Amino acid sequence: MSYLFTSESVSEGHPDKVCDAVSDGVLDAIFTEDPNARVACETFVTTGLVLVGGEITTSAYVDIQEIVRKTVENIGYTKADYKFDSESCSVLNAIHSQSPDIAMGVDKGGAGDQGIMFGYACNQTPELMPMPIMYAHKLVKKLADVRKKQPKLMPYLRPDSKSQVTIEYSDDHKPLRVDSVVISTQHDGNVKQSKIKKDVIENIIKKIIPSKYLDKKTKYYVNPTGRFEIGGPHGDSGLTGRKIIVDTYGGWAPHGGGAFSGKDPSKVDRSATYAARHIAKNVVGAKLAKECIVQLAYAIGVVEPVSVFIDTKGTGTISDKEISEMIVKEVDLTPKGIIDRLQLRRPIYQKTAAYGHFGRKEKDFTWEALDLVPTFKKYL
């Protein structure tokens, strides 16, 4: 019997994603000068205001005002009509240094905090990701690309948007069709909703989702409230780390609870989640399983993970216990080992702030590499 599953994504102009981009922009600026810095940067936005705070220990000097304004400008908030723009917004800096109690354990190579982290991969898409979240990301990314690179095509687009994709699956978990697509996109006030809907279906949805998944029963909901002129930080306040399910697997796989943006890789919330995705993707890439959940757990200040858990949902060609033992033997899961293997002390993070941390093809997304496949294949 078939079933439906839905995932959502939000664009770089969503207020929470503006915050993620600012926090990761601060991290990147610091890492450009001081790759060993400790950074836990949080951002809050609302009408006309950006507040940047958190704990940062570094020898570098960065201009928070410049980072914020450049980030907001690059996202597209450049007009006073938006009630939030790069030139006029107030920027408040409330950053202080990291707690010495935390630093004491991290300085010895231990994890920056306790916690559980999950990674996931499956064979639903070429990216080895669940299909609903991949299409949801690609839809809002396409909206941003049209807004920035083809402004004459849909000149009324504004930066804030959201998407939601519902996939119908067979009882053996194979994607069959797209049941519905929801897109809400911020727009200028002088455009009819009928035109927005027509343009979104033709220029966005049908350019992203293959026709084989669309049929006469597919439902399209474009700006279902009827209007979305007020958006961004003026329409709703934003906070760093509030879109963790958007950032990972769209609800298809578990999430440990920790957010990523604004955190340097000594924080296992970020680095170990990347490592778990790297492992899961390579397990599936090596044909050891059709899908794979990896859970890692750490104690603050302790070097080795306290547990490594594998669940292949019965799709493994070898047992989950054997895969777990293989990972412990072949992969260094200490914070330092993860950081070194994935080259995480680089200014690569602002580009992760929107459109998902996983399933991306950028060269700097080292956790997406299939470099462990030859090693894992030895266990087939």
Side-chain angles (χ1 to χ4, degrees), residues 73-285:
E73 179 183 8
N74 288 342
I75 289 170
Y77 287 110
T78 56
K79 299 179 182 179
D81 289 350
Y82 300 161
K83 310 296 183 185
F84 178 88
D85 67 272
S86 58
E87 291 188 359
S88 68
C89 66
S90 297
V91 180
L92 301 183
N93 182 349
I95 292 169
H96 58 92
S97 62
Q98 185 186 55
S99 159
D101 291 349
I102 295 175
M104 185 168 55
V106 179
D107 289 342
K108 298 175 183 177
D113 201 353
Q114 72 173 52
I116 56 173
M117 298 84 206
F118 286 94
Y120 180 78
C122 62
N123 62 1
Q124 290 182 28
T125 63
E127 298 88 355
L128 302 185
M129 287 282 287
M131 186 177 285
I133 189 66
M134 284 310 301
Y135 283 145
H137 285 325
K138 289 179 179 182
L139 288 170
V140 285
K141 180 65 164 61
K142 180 67 172 177
L143 274 169
D145 288 344
V146 167
R147 175 171 57 87
K148 292 178 173 182
K149 300 174 184 177
Q150 299 175 278
K152 293 182 179 179
L153 187 62
M154 298 169 69
Y156 49 80
L157 290 177
R158 290 183 175 184
D160 195 357
S161 64
K162 302 177 78 172
S163 68
Q164 191 170 281
V165 177
T166 300
I167 302 291
E168 181 178 349
Y169 287 86
S170 65
D171 57 3
D172 58 349
H173 313 303
K174 292 181 180 178
L176 299 175
R177 56 184 289 275
V178 172
D179 185 73
S180 66
V181 180
V182 183
I183 290 186
S184 296
T185 182
Q186 189 187 12
H187 57 83
D188 292 342
N190 59 352
V191 58
K192 293 182 178 179
Q193 292 298 321
S194 57
K195 177 169 177 54
I196 296 175
K197 183 171 183 176
K198 180 177 181 294
D199 286 351
V200 166
I201 291 173
E202 295 301 319
N203 299 326
I204 307 299
I205 296 173
K206 290 187 176 179
K207 298 293 185 184
I208 292 299
I209 299 177
S211 58
K212 66 180 180 180
Y213 291 119
L214 301 173
D215 56 33
K216 292 180 180 179
K217 293 183 179 180
T218 301
K219 298 176 284 290
Y220 304 100
Y221 302 98
V222 179
N223 285 6
T225 63
R227 188 177 184 84
F228 188 9
E229 184 178 349
I230 298 172
H234 178 56
D236 192 9
S237 60
L239 285 170
T240 299
R242 219 164 39 175
K243 287 291 179 284
I244 58 176
I245 301 304
V246 170
D247 285 344
T248 53
Y249 307 103
W252 186 275
H255 192 296
F260 308 145
S261 290
K263 296 178 181 178
D264 77 83
S266 73
K267 281 75 174 173
V268 282
D269 277 342
R270 182 167 221 159
S271 55
T273 303
Y274 289 0
R277 161 63 179 173
H278 185 223
I279 291 166
K281 186 174 182 181
N282 278 267
V283 167
V284 175

Side-chain angles (χ1 to χ4, degrees), residues 33-79:
E33 295 185 33
D34 180 12
N36 294 310
R38 300 275 167 73
V39 181
C41 181
E42 309 284 348
T43 304
F44 166 78
V45 297
T46 188
T47 304
L49 173 67
V50 181
L51 170 62
V52 184
E55 299 80 43
I56 297 177
T57 302
T58 180
S59 59
Y61 169 77
V62 296
D63 188 332
I64 300 296
Q65 288 262 350
E66 181 183 2
I67 293 166
V68 169
R69 297 191 190 283
K70 185 176 179 181
T71 299
V72 172
E73 179 183 8
N74 288 342
I75 289 170
Y77 287 110
T78 56
K79 299 179 182 179

